[in-house]
């Protein structure tokens, strides 16, 4: 074990909470974030000089203000490196980073690491999801928060989950309400689950607020409706919508899709109990439970490390209770929005990076292993390393797709020149 | 003149602090050669763009800078595993 800092990767709510908790206990922390500012998926900050058009619910704003205050109180013990990408752990156990501003790769051996790299959105594939003009709803929201400018031209928002409503309401607020929001599930048919959500805190109130905003802009919220196809037509997308057995077609410039979120695990070193450098996951990157839970989970991970170093009790009952509540909310939400998955048409692209279709996936043996799916099927081998097709394949085959072991690095393309400059004497 | 970078030789204006992806979308550019902006958070690698004199970068993560010369990835770069 070294006396170096504890590494925290990811400057979202989970990473910020972990870093502050460790620093408050007196430990030096290296906090690494790939973007130019902290905040994570939810608190993406507007570019300097841009007005803050997109207002998050007050609870989230208060939570983030509290976290940034804690970070500045402990600033002396936290080294924050933005525009720095965690690339993974190499064969010699070195943690590698790409400092994008300095165009250089560096390595360090931390005392321990908390990896809080958040979630990725999942989507259910349909023919055309890979076309330009189709974006994830959360990705579009991140851009909207950054600029305050909505994408121009008609927008359709489709898929499943509360994020659809949030994004649509924010687009309306920013001046370009979507033509419709399509929710695959039929929440009104699951009153039990809705009632349970109503009892469990702010989520339903937040959702009703968004619905009211959409009603004010006359944006239809259609449940039990889904996109079955999108194809380019001039500079537009022709989108086919199915509602029960009825079909209709809309022409839009942008199609925003989203079917939930899942932990971003690809290439992330998983904790081994006997590892020389303990590695813990925190936040949505451990279990996708949302922003409030991410703060609790960051603190829980920090306390687990402190306990390991003999500096705190392991148990964090308040955090555990909060996490169970968040889990119950997610379960009720999944019940309220459940929609049976039908296999997509054979020509549907599954792996966009390598151009592999559902027909090619379905042709693999029923019991193909993750390795066979990769090597025989050539799925998950492209630049995104399976971050998108991995969850799709798992959902379509009805079982998880195990991660490649050991994790592959670099997580991202990195300049060979920058890698070549990495020598042992650059190890910090 | 406002700050701008070049996409395929054409100037694209941006406001300071914006990412390359935000500026491209703001200018109505959605086709990035074989690529496109999709996840907005650096995960899908669909938005990799070539930068003259430097390594390819994710447009959605990289702040725009005045005078950058950007273009779609060459086929063999896009295919690179
Ligand atoms: C696109 C998107 C939009 C979302 N919008 C909302 C919203 O509006 N409201 C809401 O309640 N929830 C939203 N969520 C859910 C969100 O995941 C949680 O609410 C919350 O942000 C989770 O906090 P976290 O700290 O676990 O992860 P995040 O907030 O995602 O933070 C992870 C951080 O790690 C950084 N990172 C990732 N990989 C690396 C790497 N290799 N090296 C260095 N840094 C890295 C990221 O840039 C990010 O800042 C969104 C999720 C996604 C994916
Ligand atoms: S849009 Fe997915 S990595 Fe940039």
């Amino acid at each position: 074990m070294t006396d170096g800092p504890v590494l925290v990767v990811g400057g979202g709510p989970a990473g910020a909470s972990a870093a502050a908790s460790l620093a408050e206990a007196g430990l030096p922390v290296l906090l690494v974030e790939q973007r130019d500012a902290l905040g994570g998926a939810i608190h993406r900050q507007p570019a300097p000089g841009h007005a803050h058009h997109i207002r998050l619910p007050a609870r989230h704003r208060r939570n983030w203000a509290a976290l940034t205050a804690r970070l500045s109180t402990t600033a002396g013990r936290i080294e924050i490196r933005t525009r720095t990408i965690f690339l993974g752990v190499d064969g010699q156990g070195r943690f590698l980073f790409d400092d994008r501003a300095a165009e250089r790769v560096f390595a360090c051996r931390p005392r321990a690491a908390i990896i809080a790299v958040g979630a990725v959105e999942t989507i259910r594939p349909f023919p055309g999801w890979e076309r330009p003009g189709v974006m994830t709803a959360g990705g579009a929201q991140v851009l909207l928060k950054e600029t305050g400018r909505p994408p121009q031209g008609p927008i359709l928002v489709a898929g499943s989950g509360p994020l659809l409503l949030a994004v649509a309401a924010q687009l309306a607020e920013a001046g370009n309400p979507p033509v419709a929001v399509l929710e695959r599930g039929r929440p009104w048919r699951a009153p039990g689950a809705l009632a349970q959500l109503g009892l469990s805190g702010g989520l339903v109130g937040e959702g009703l607020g968004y619905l009211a905003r959409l009603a004010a802009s006359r944006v239809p919220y259609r449940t039990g409706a889904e996109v079955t196809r999108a194809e380019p037509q001039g500079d537009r997308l022709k989108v086919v919508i199915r509602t029960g057995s009825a079909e209709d077609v809309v022409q839009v410039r942008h199609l925003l899709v989203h079917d939930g979120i899942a932990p971003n695990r690809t290439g992330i070193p998983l904790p081994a109990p006997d590892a020389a450098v303990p590695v813990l996951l925190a936040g949505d990157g451990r279990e996708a439970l949302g922003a409030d839970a991410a703060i609790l989970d960051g603190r829980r991970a920090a306390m687990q490390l402190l306990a390991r170093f003999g500096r705190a009790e392991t148990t964090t009952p308040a955090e555990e209770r909060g996490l169970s509540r968040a889990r119950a909310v997610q379960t009720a939400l999944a019940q309220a929005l459940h929609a049976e998955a039908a296999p997509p048409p054979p020509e549907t692209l599954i792996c966009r990076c390598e151009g592999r279709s559902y027909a090619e996936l379905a042709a693999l043996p029923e019991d193909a292993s993750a390795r066979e799916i990769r090597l025989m099927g050539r799925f998950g081998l492209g630049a995104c390393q399976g971050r998108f097709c991995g969850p799709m394949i798992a959902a379509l085959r009805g079982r998880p797709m195990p991660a490649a072991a050991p994790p592959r690095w670099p997580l991202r393309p990195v300049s060979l020149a920058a890698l070549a400059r990495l020598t042992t004497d650059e190890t910090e | 003149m406002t700050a701008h970078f070049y996409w395929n030789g054409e100037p694209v204006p941006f406001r300071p602090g914006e990412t390359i992806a935000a500026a491209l979308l703001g200018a109505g550019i959605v086709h990035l050669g074989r690529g496109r902006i999709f996840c907005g958070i650096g995960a899908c690698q669909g938005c990799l763009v070539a930068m003259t004199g430097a390594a390819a970068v994710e447009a959605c993560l990289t702040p725009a800078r005045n005078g950058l010369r950007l273009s779609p990835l060459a086929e063999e770069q896009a295919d690179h595993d």
Side-chain angles (χ1 to χ4, degrees), chain A residues 14-403:
Chain A
S17 161
S21 306
L22 291 166
E24 282 158 2
L27 293 187
V29 176
L30 171 63
L31 174 58
V32 167
E33 164 58 46
Q34 66 186 359
R35 287 196 176 266
D36 50 1
L38 304 183
I42 170 164
H43 300 288
R44 176 77 184 128
Q45 301 302 308
H50 292 211
H52 218 315
H53 293 280
I54 308 306
R55 294 188 61 84
L56 289 169
R59 172 182 97 254
H60 289 311
R61 280 183 279 139
R62 273 198 307 275
N63 287 346
W64 184 245
L67 277 176
T68 42
R70 286 172 65 200
L71 287 177
S72 61
T73 311
T74 51
R77 278 190 287 277
I78 306 181
E79 181 189 354
I80 298 179
R81 287 211 182 201
T82 54
R83 294 201 62 198
T84 300
I85 300 185
F86 171 53
L87 296 172
V89 184
D90 74 2
Q92 302 158 47
R94 295 182 305 178
F95 287 63
L96 299 182
F97 305 88
D98 185 2
D99 179 341
R100 285 283 174 91
E103 289 183 34
R104 113 182 218 280
V105 174
F106 70 94
C108 85
R109 286 180 198 279
R111 180 173 181 189
I114 293 178
I115 310 287
V117 291
V120 291
E121 293 172 271
T122 56
I123 66 153
R124 283 205 195 166
F126 52 85
W129 73 271
E130 74 283 4
R131 300 286 184 183
V134 184
M135 274 190 80
T136 67
Q141 184 198 38
V142 164
L143 285 164
L144 178 61
K145 285 177 185 166
E146 185 182 308
T147 63
R149 257 183 304 163
Q152 298 304 300
I155 304 172
L156 179 66
V157 179
S160 188
L163 190 80
L164 298 181
L165 285 177
V167 173
Q170 289 159 351
L171 287 169
E173 200 64 44
N176 189 8
V179 295
V181 180
L182 311 182
E183 165 59 57
R184 199 193 300 282
R186 292 181 170 85
W188 320 129
R189 294 199 188 166
L194 279 186
Q196 200 173 346
L197 283 173
L199 292 176
S200 55
L203 200 62
V204 164
E206 205 176 312
L208 290 175
Y210 293 137
L211 281 173
R213 183 68 191 79
L214 292 178
S217 298
R218 298 183 202 291
V219 178
Y221 177 59
R222 291 167 57 180
T223 58
E226 61 186 348
V227 167
T228 55
R229 179 175 296 275
E231 51 195 60
Q233 202 161 70
D235 67 349
R236 297 274 167 113
L237 286 165
K238 178 182 149 201
V239 181
V240 183
I241 299 168
R242 183 172 57 209
T243 317
S245 54
E247 263 193 7
D248 58 325
V249 171
V250 293
Q251 310 265 354
V252 294
R253 190 82 207 279
H254 302 274
L255 170 57
L256 308 186
V257 291
H258 168 94
D259 281 285
I261 57 174
N264 175 9
R265 284 285 173 73
T266 312
I268 304 297
L270 288 172
D274 54 346
V277 177
V279 176
L280 298 178
L281 298 171
D284 276 4
R286 186 187 65 76
E287 184 179 4
L289 295 176
D292 299 313
I295 299 174
L296 300 176
D297 206 39
R299 181 171 170 77
R300 181 174 77 153
M303 291 302 148
Q304 280 175 357
L305 273 187
L306 288 168
R308 225 171 158 125
F309 300 151
R311 301 175 67 145
E313 305 288 338
T314 331
T315 53
T316 41
E319 280 75 13
E320 298 293 346
R321 274 196 305 277
L323 290 168
S324 320
R325 271 199 302 275
R327 214 169 278 133
V329 169
Q330 291 303 321
T331 308
L333 203 53
Q335 277 164 3
L337 298 177
H338 175 76
E340 220 48 71
E347 73 275 20
T348 311
L349 220 55
I350 300 298
C351 165
R352 182 178 190 274
C353 304
E354 299 273 305
R356 310 291 290 160
S357 70
Y358 180 63
E360 286 160 316
L361 179 67
L364 291 172
E366 180 91 19
D367 59 351
S369 67
R371 191 181 147 79
E372 287 165 337
I373 295 174
R374 280 201 173 75
L375 298 184
M376 291 160 52
R378 295 199 55 74
F379 285 95
L381 290 173
C384 88
Q385 303 208 346
R387 280 191 193 84
F388 284 87
C389 67
M392 279 184 209
I393 293 171
L396 290 166
R397 292 169 55 91
R399 57 189 108 117
M401 179 143 148

Side-chain angles (χ1 to χ4, degrees), chain A residues 35 135 139 143 388 412, chain B residues 21 32 36-48 57-61:
Chain A
R35 287 196 176 266
M135 274 190 80
L143 285 164
F388 284 87
R412 304 289 170 69
Chain B
L32 311 183
R36 55 139 185 203
I37 296 153
F38 181 62
C39 73
I41 58 164
C44 76
Q45 302 285 303
C47 71
L48 282 177
V57 292
E58 297 91 348
C60 70
L61 292 182

